[in-house]
Amino acid sequence: MSSIRDKYDTGKTVFSCEVFPPKKDKPIEPTMDKLKDFKDIAPDFLSVTYGAGGSNAGHAVEIASFIRRDVGVDVLSHITSVGFSRTKLDEGLKTFRENKIENVLALRGDRPKTMTDDEYNSRDFFHASDMADFIRENYPDFTIAGACYPDKHFEAEDYDEDIANLKKKVDNGCSFLISQLFFDNEKFYLMQKLMEKAGIKAPVSAGIMPITNAKMLGTTVTLSGTSVPKSLSDLIARYGENDDDMRKAGIEYAINQIKDLLNHGADGIHLYVMNKPEVAREIFANTR
């Protein structure tokens, strides 16, 4: 099993995409058919989201295994700590290993709606850094990635606190990082400077989400807390009512973001295109 971390040592920009499994009550075959289209796009890896507390665990493992085996692309499986006890996490990691999935993205995740206050306040892992430490100690053969936040994590009081938490995450075993999506590259460059000042040397893939319809922006901002620069707001105002024009403009905005990041020597580009290989193909063709 290859370590995705090694890809950042080749001197080439690492290109990756994020996909998600279907919900447990939905058939898996349509998603698999979509993912087959990533074969000829050949990203360096695909990351697969994972439901909080394992709500999509079965499909997540199945989709990750399918990507590795049938799509022929390295896979990074998300794993969220918020709903896991040490015992459940241990079981989940063993399942990953049995399926030859040994690259994981350690996230805290959102609180499941069914989780009681007592369960939430007595959980084994309060932070992603706690879970990363557990994985490092008990599964040293695994490669662990972590998340970082150009707009600052919404729960952090300031950037200093956010960077201190990030350093702990890296010190506890996260060997490379994927950023939360952002629309203002200056936020990413500021984060890089703060990381350097704090002595954080892990490579970072910049998270880019192309806004291909106007509704996406509101949902994205609500879920991620990402700020929206005036240039993107103006673009939405100009093209938002025309689906075709909005798609073209949103993809062009993402391409321009990526070109600027590449000119600044970004370690990697991570596309939040979810299950839309056609969008990834168009963007990669113009930036790789």
Side-chain angles (χ1 to χ4, degrees), residues 44 57 189 219:
D44 289 295
Y189 302 143
T219 303

Side-chain angles (χ1 to χ4, degrees), residues 183-252:
F183 301 113
D184 182 351
N185 285 6
E186 293 304 317
K187 296 287 184 69
F188 184 81
Y189 302 143
L190 171 61
M191 182 190 72
Q192 286 183 310
K193 290 177 182 177
L194 294 173
M195 288 174 60
E196 183 178 1
K197 184 179 178 181
I200 301 171
K201 297 180 180 180
V204 184
S205 279
I208 302 297
M209 174 176 276
I211 300 299
T212 54
N213 66 71
K215 291 180 180 178
M216 282 180 65
L217 188 63
T219 303
T220 298
V221 170
T222 299
L223 293 175
S224 68
T226 304
S227 61
V228 180
K230 185 177 184 299
S231 55
L232 183 56
S233 296
D234 290 346
L235 184 147
I236 298 290
R238 183 174 182 180
Y239 299 109
E241 294 185 3
N242 185 301
D243 291 344
D244 289 341
D245 288 348
M246 184 64 240
R247 184 185 185 280
K248 292 176 184 176
I251 288 177
E252 183 179 357

